[in-house]
Structures are given as structure tokens and as C-alpha cells.
Amino acid sequence: MIMLTILSLASHAQNLVIDGSFEDTIMCPQMFNSSLKNILEYWKKSGNISGVALNTCNADKWGVPQNFEGYENAHSGIGYICLPTFGDISTHSDFRQFAIGQLNPAPASVPLVVKLKFTAIVA
């Protein structure tokens, strides 16, 4: 009985992120300094340096799975984003960049679970 209840609760889960696979493109990514909001329909970046949208529509250095960072398949769909983040402990300087996306509305009483997939590249 408990197992059926858990399965029943899990089946009602809903992804609230609009275009969580970074597939809805306005145009195919062509260069590093293209703003996410000019490439992806539902995403934009925060920070001073543009993030990079990578997609299978580009077979050059902005493609998926092969691109300027190496070789990485998309977790799901045909694209992903690259957000530079770095820091230097000795100078106490750091740089963080975030992608901002839209969510479908959810009732305020429903708890939310946030899941994120990432690959760290150490230079």
C-alpha cells in the first residue's frame, strides 16, 4: 500500500521550467558574445559576460556534442548552455554568471524541487 502511494505521488510531478532543454532557439548560435536572450526563446543571462548557447544546429565550435569546450552530449534534447564561473582565492575575486528562465505557474502551497545537471571544466 505504501509503495502504491509513493508511485502515485511521483506520477503527478510536473516540470515547471519552460524549455529546460534549451531547444527553442530564435537563431542558431554563431559566436561567443551573442546574448542568450537573442539565441534562446525563454532564457537570458545575468552578469557582465554573455553565456553561450550550444546547439546541434551548428556543426562548428558552437555545436553539440562537439564544441569549443570539448565533447559533451546534451542531457536531454539538442542543446545546452555554457556559463563561465571562476574565482581567485588569493585576490578574493570571483565571477559568477546565472541563466534566468521562465517557469510555468504553480500553486503556492506545492513544494518545489530544483534539479540541475552540470559539467565542471577546470582550466
Side-chain angles (χ1 to χ4, degrees), residues 9 12 33 39 47 69 88 94 121-122:
L9 291 173
H12 295 304
N33 61 356
I39 303 291
E69 286 289 357
D88 184 346
D94 61 22
I121 299 172
V122 179

Side-chain angles (χ1 to χ4, degrees), residues 8-9 16 25 28 30 40 58 109:
S8 172
L9 291 173
L16 300 177
T25 57
C28 190
Q30 299 296 323
L40 298 171
N58 189 325
S109 62

Side-chain angles (χ1 to χ4, degrees), residues 13-79:
Q14 174 184 347
N15 186 356
L16 300 177
V17 178
I18 298 174
D19 188 28
S21 298
F22 309 105
E23 296 178 335
D24 294 335
T25 57
I26 298 168
M27 60 181 275
C28 190
Q30 299 296 323
M31 63 180 72
F32 184 76
N33 61 356
S34 295
S35 176
L36 289 180
K37 71 178 182 178
N38 296 331
I39 303 291
L40 298 171
E41 183 74 29
Y42 302 103
W43 290 89
K44 60 183 180 178
K45 61 96 183 176
S46 69
N48 298 327
I49 299 174
S50 292
V52 179
L54 304 167
N55 193 288
T56 57
C57 67
N58 189 325
D60 196 14
K61 59 184 173 179
W62 315 112
V64 170
Q66 185 70 44
N67 54 61
F68 72 98
E69 286 289 357
Y71 189 94
E72 181 80 27
N73 286 309
H75 171 52
S76 64
I78 60 172

